[in-house]
Amino acid sequence: MSFTPSPRCSGWAAALATVLLWSGFFLSLRLGAEEKLPPQALALLRFGIPALLLLPYYWRHRIRLRRTPLRWQLAMLAGAGLPFFWLGATGMQLAPVAQGSALIPGTVPLMVSLLGLLLWRAPCPVQRRWGLALIALATVILLLGGKPGLWQGQLCFLGAALLWALFTLAVRRSGLAALDAAALVAVPSALLLLPTLLWSPLPTVSHASVWLWQGLLQGIGAGLLAALCYAHAIRTLGAEVSSALGSLTPVMAAMLAWWLLGETVTPPVWLALGLLCVGVVLTSLPARRVSAALPAAQQATAQAAVE
């Protein structure tokens, strides 16, 4: 007997791979801040390497990609492109890894649900409401329990989370494949960065290994593989479930930062991470069946929102 994995199994695998790749993304941002690398240099690695690899695909399918509604193109470009990266890199210079890895992916499920409610009046099942409430409570603990002076970095992280929520919904609503979404983000972002080299050349780093690791973590890992895995997870599992699973990133990133970078994780932060995990489980549970008493149109709307 042969075993053929179902599309949902591949979606779960892609979501878990995204968690690992995102953890490496936050660690590389922190390492870049410690090496005094400007955000421009990290952004060139983050978008330049994927752009070079995806440029033939982008050019071959440019006509089809241009047919994507402009609002979804702009939402994806802002949500996973330069604005998102700039906020994340700036915040990581002002706050530790545990704060950034918790506030960015940790609050995305809450913002996805809020945007869905405001823009499309999407219903929210009861168990998801409980999960979102725990995520909101964890966010408050992180904001109030951090060291004094972290508010600027925390504000950057929350802004980046809002942009990533826009990217999540744009990928789902546009119906684009994973490779399409990655190409639409990487190639235009890299083209926008090229003129900056004219007046701000790249800094010199004494160790070539710094560029190698940043290229692997930012360009290959976060820039290409994470985008492909996350877009595939959205298409197979749904935007809400995918963003909720992404909330497991803070625990992984905090443990790696504690182990590799020697960062101290305070008890309030561990409490917030625990609440995030419980909130993730509740938010990822399958939604209960819609009551048969609802009109057919409302049932279809609710099912579409859940998917």
Side-chain angles (χ1 to χ4, degrees), residues 238-283:
E240 289 82 4
V241 174
S242 299
S243 61
L245 288 174
S247 300
L248 294 174
T249 302
V251 179
M252 178 65 67
M255 293 178 64
L256 291 176
W258 169 76
W259 180 36
L260 298 176
L261 304 180
E263 286 194 357
T264 302
V265 183
T266 61
V269 173
W270 281 120
L271 174 61
L273 294 178
L275 291 174
L276 281 176
C277 290
V278 178
V280 165
V281 173
L282 291 177
T283 310

Side-chain angles (χ1 to χ4, degrees), residues 23-212:
S23 300
F25 166 74
F26 289 108
L27 290 177
S28 65
L29 286 180
R30 189 61 183 175
L31 289 172
E34 293 180 355
E35 292 289 340
K36 306 300 182 181
L37 292 177
Q40 175 213 9
L42 296 177
L44 282 172
L45 293 174
R46 167 68 173 79
F47 299 107
I49 295 176
L52 289 176
L53 297 175
L54 294 174
L55 184 59
Y57 180 88
Y58 181 88
W59 181 257
R60 187 165 58 250
H61 298 279
R62 64 189 184 280
I63 297 177
R64 178 176 59 84
L65 294 177
R66 288 174 182 172
R67 295 195 187 105
T68 304
L70 182 60
R71 62 182 182 275
W72 301 135
Q73 293 188 46
L74 294 177
M76 285 186 284
L77 191 58
L82 292 177
F84 166 80
F85 184 88
W86 180 80
L87 285 174
T90 303
M92 201 59 68
Q93 293 178 347
L94 304 171
V97 172
Q99 288 278 337
S101 63
L103 289 176
I104 294 181
T107 58
V108 167
L110 183 61
M111 295 186 179
V112 166
S113 296
L114 290 177
L115 288 175
L117 177 64
L118 293 175
L119 298 178
W120 299 287
R121 298 187 182 276
C124 186
V126 175
Q127 77 276 4
R128 185 164 291 148
R129 295 177 189 176
W130 283 104
L132 294 176
L134 290 178
I135 292 174
L137 178 60
T139 303
V140 172
I141 294 175
L142 286 172
L143 294 177
L144 299 180
K147 296 180 180 180
L150 295 180
W151 66 270
Q152 291 179 320
Q154 293 171 337
L155 188 61
C156 290
F157 295 147
L158 291 176
L162 178 60
L163 290 178
W164 193 262
L166 287 175
F167 171 76
T168 301
L169 291 171
V171 171
R172 182 63 176 173
R173 293 279 173 169
S174 66
L176 292 174
L179 203 58
D180 296 336
L184 276 175
V185 171
V187 175
S189 297
L191 292 177
L192 291 173
L193 277 171
L194 289 179
T196 63
L197 295 177
L198 298 177
W199 64 82
S200 180
L202 292 178
T204 58
V205 180
S206 57
H207 302 289
S209 60
V210 173
W211 292 108
L212 176 61

